Amino acid sequence: MRTWQETVPAPSEFGNALIGAPEGSDMVCDLRLESVHDGILVSGDVTITLEGQCSRCLDPITDQMVVEVQELFLFDAPSEVPEDDDEADEMYEVQDETIDLEPMLRDAAITKLPFQPVCREDCEGLCAQCGVRLDENPGHRHEVLDPRWSALEGLFDADDDTTREER
Ligand SMILES: [Zn+2]
Ligand SMILES: [Zn+2]
């Protein structure tokens, strides 16, 4: 068994629309590589730096995520996928005596990223009507017009028209 502790730069487009690892940011790998009879078993964890945007208040977020991985890289991946193998599309292969960790990391990490990341669990976000930050404006609300008052407004408008017509 070998350990592989290395910091590698994040590849491009590692994330979803709102959050991900910026290209070139540190991915700290702490992995064990174990020879098994049909391949190499890679396990351990990778610490990833995340940057993104709060889906509620649009503030920038920085975070860290530890991704646990455990995958078998086969020396000889079958070219024909057995029919009853549901995990066939997640098969990894040792190629030219090296293993490419990137697809494995993508599969393990990107699916775990939140689609609606928040800066804090209780982030109140922005007012849907005027965009002020609700955290900084407790009790902020807009007067909701009672539809009956709108009807009255229409009434006054009508009166105005009548006045004008009488002139
Ligand atoms: Zn927020
Ligand atoms: Zn508002």
Side-chain angles (χ1 to χ4, degrees):
M1 192 182 85
R2 270 180 53 200
T3 56
W4 193 73
Q5 287 167 311
E6 199 85 48
T7 300
V8 296
S12 62
E13 290 171 26
F14 196 95
N16 62 32
L18 284 180
I19 195 162
E23 186 172 358
S25 63
D26 285 351
M27 292 186 153
V28 183
C29 303
D30 184 5
L31 301 173
R32 289 173 299 282
L33 310 179
E34 222 170 319
S35 272
V36 293
H37 81 278
D38 53 352
I40 295 175
L41 184 66
V42 178
S43 60
D45 54 54
V46 179
T47 306
I48 293 172
T49 306
L50 297 177
E51 281 182 20
Q53 200 175 44
C54 175
S55 59
R56 295 182 195 156
C57 72
L58 310 181
D59 264 5
I61 304 175
T62 53
D63 203 357
Q64 282 205 326
M65 179 169 75
V66 179
V67 186
E68 285 182 36
V69 293
Q70 183 173 46
E71 293 293 346
L72 177 64
F73 286 71
L74 295 168
F75 290 128
D76 230 338
S79 48
E80 279 184 34
V81 173
E83 277 175 24
D84 56 351
D85 193 343
D86 291 340
E87 294 183 355
D89 58 343
E90 289 178 21
M91 214 165 323
Y92 305 103
E93 197 177 11
V94 182
Q95 280 171 330
D96 302 327
E97 296 180 3
T98 62
I99 53 179
D100 183 5
L101 297 172
E102 186 185 325
M104 172 188 74
L105 263 180
R106 283 185 182 277
D107 289 348
I110 295 179
T111 50
K112 288 205 184 70
L113 292 172
F115 276 103
Q116 298 190 308
V118 287
C119 58
R120 295 192 325 270
E121 273 311 312
D122 60 349
C123 172
E124 298 273 0
L126 304 176
C127 170
Q129 276 167 331
C130 69
V132 306
R133 196 170 295 269
L134 295 177
D135 286 335
E136 293 166 6
N137 297 273
H140 171 85
R141 56 189 286 274
H142 292 263
E143 293 301 329
V144 179
L145 276 184
D146 187 314
R148 282 170 297 181
W149 289 108
S150 321
L152 273 182
E153 272 175 359
L155 205 66
F156 291 133
D157 287 343
D159 279 355
D160 285 351
D161 289 341
T162 324
T163 326
R164 254 178 248 132
E165 270 167 24
E166 280 170 0
R167 258 180 223 152

